[in-house]
Amino acid sequence: MTCRLGATPVMELMIAAGKTVPKLQLEFGLLVERVYTGSFMTSLDMKGFSISIMKVDQTLLQHLDASTKAPHWPVGSAGNRPPAKTPVPLPSSRSMKSDELLSRPLQLTEQGHILEVAIEAAANAIINMRDILNDWDSTIGDGDCGSAMYKGATAILDDMKKYYPLNNAAETVNEIGSSVRRAMGGTSGVLYTIFCKAAYAQLKANSDSTVTAKQWAEALEAAIAAVSKYGGASTGYRTLLDALIPALAVLKERLTSGEDSCTSFVLSSEAAVAGAGSAKDMQAQAGRSSYVSAAILATVPDPGAMAAAAWYRAAALAVKDKFHPSFNSSINKSKS
């Protein structure tokens, strides 16, 4: 099933579906029985699409093919398809990682320990905020921000125990994106997947095994730019970027001035919290809350911005508490 968001043209959706089906058949050896393409769950003014795959048997197919009065349920398209009993072998690529890369290392490096602590703290911060995020979102949205973020956070914690190659920062960020994509629904899931994939691409461009503070800042900047590009938001739009953009500005400023990495991280997290708090007084310009009156918006903070500030702040404090000053010695080896 290929589902478009509100601002994606149908032509682009059809192109995506047309490329997806052969890939599933030839590269993954899946037999595609039905293809449904249309607007099933949209987000106003949001560009993008989602692809859902479901394992079916004859009973499920009969239900899918049954007559219905649902006005927008599309007719299943079988079409001609090549045999898919045997997967077609492919050359190795980034999307097909080795077993070694897709497993937790037996022994963590210092960088691996830092990543583990930061990820665990960030995820737990979101888990603890589920109810309050839902409460805020019920006023200005559909009330599920906390639940969606909770699913993503719990998936991250579960996957980290088994799959995250924590000694490899770039691949770990990529796997976080995969966890989010699989478990977190709604607009937040899409945006955080984009966020992680953009950060991964930036980190992957660096050849050094140890990621420096400057490189982490560059990855954050790339992730923010990607979310802004595809989500259509920026500072003042009352979104997660109202927390992350101020954090990035302070992080870059402090690192450039010669401040140590840990202090820069913590100070930038303070900017994230302040930015998220200030979003309460802004008129939303993106997402569902952009259709809510200013009077109602002023009664609650933006849940997306508050969540972003929470996980960023939690990660910074956890790293500071456990590793400072060793955090600085490991991550400040190169600032060029």
Side-chain angles (χ1 to χ4, degrees):
M1 176 183 290
T2 311
C3 175
R4 78 185 183 101
L5 297 175
T8 303
V10 175
M11 179 183 295
E12 292 182 7
L13 186 68
M14 294 300 180
I15 293 172
K19 290 183 177 294
T20 299
V21 174
K23 191 176 186 70
L24 292 174
Q25 295 167 197
L26 294 175
E27 296 187 15
F28 295 93
L30 299 179
L31 182 64
V32 179
E33 289 286 354
R34 301 289 187 275
V35 178
Y36 302 98
T37 304
S39 302
F40 303 105
M41 184 175 66
T42 64
S43 180
L44 293 172
D45 299 332
M46 189 76 177
K47 297 179 181 179
F49 62 88
S50 64
I51 299 173
S52 302
I53 303 171
M54 181 174 69
K55 184 178 181 179
V56 297
D57 54 23
Q58 286 303 314
T59 300
L60 282 173
L61 286 174
Q62 289 174 4
H63 288 306
L64 289 170
D65 294 339
S67 59
T68 176
K69 294 181 180 179
H72 296 292
W73 183 251
V75 176
S77 173
N80 297 323
R81 54 180 181 266
K85 294 181 179 179
T86 305
V88 177
L90 294 175
S92 60
S93 65
R94 287 179 180 174
S95 61
M96 299 179 66
K97 304 179 181 66
S98 66
D99 291 337
E100 179 182 359
L101 208 56
L102 275 177
S103 62
R104 181 187 174 89
L106 296 177
Q107 186 172 358
L108 295 180
T109 62
E110 186 174 23
Q111 178 179 256
H113 280 296
I114 291 172
L115 270 176
E116 181 182 44
V117 167
I119 293 169
E120 184 176 9
N124 281 324
I126 293 301
I127 288 172
N128 294 333
M129 291 185 70
R130 177 180 60 178
D131 293 340
I132 188 63
L133 289 174
N134 281 340
D135 287 344
W136 290 333
D137 196 38
S138 65
T139 301
I140 61 173
D142 50 8
D144 67 346
C145 177
S147 297
M149 296 287 289
Y150 175 89
K151 291 178 181 177
T154 53
I156 288 170
L157 290 180
D158 290 342
D159 291 348
M160 183 171 67
K161 298 174 183 176
K162 299 176 288 186
Y163 303 122
Y164 290 3
L166 292 164
N167 293 340
N168 187 319
E171 296 297 343
T172 296
V173 171
N174 191 40
E175 290 306 312
I176 292 173
S178 297
S179 299
V180 167
R181 181 180 59 195
R182 187 189 75 254
M184 190 188 300
T187 304
S188 295
V190 175
L191 293 178
Y192 274 108
T193 299
I194 292 171
F195 181 91
C196 291
K197 296 303 180 181
Y200 162 73
Q202 182 64 38
L203 291 171
K204 194 69 176 177
N206 300 314
S207 58
D208 296 336
S209 58
T210 300
V211 180
T212 66
K214 180 175 181 289
Q215 290 166 343
W216 277 116
E218 291 170 348
L220 177 60
E221 186 170 22
I224 289 172
V227 170
S228 180
K229 175 182 178 181
Y230 294 106
S234 186
T235 305
Y237 277 51
R238 200 179 162 104
T239 69
L240 77 164
L241 296 185
D242 288 306
L244 297 179
I245 290 176
L248 173 63
V250 171
L251 182 62
K252 291 171 64 177
E253 177 187 351
R254 292 292 178 169
L255 291 175
T256 301
S257 68
E259 194 81 65
D260 67 80
S261 302
C262 193
T263 302
S264 298
F265 193 11
V266 172
L267 291 175
S268 69
S269 74
E270 294 175 359
V273 173
S278 66
K280 182 177 179 180
D281 300 320
M282 300 172 184
Q283 177 61 47
Q285 300 182 58
R288 289 184 178 87
S289 58
S290 62
Y291 300 93
V292 179
S293 69
I296 294 177
L297 288 176
T299 63
V300 294
D302 181 74
M306 295 299 287
W311 65 253
Y312 191 98
R313 176 70 170 169
L317 292 180
V319 169
K320 172 179 177 285
D321 292 343
K322 188 151 188 175
F323 293 102
H324 189 265
S326 64
F327 173 80
N328 298 314
S329 64
S330 67
I331 206 170
N332 266 330
K333 291 178 180 179
S334 171
K335 288 191 176 182
S336 59

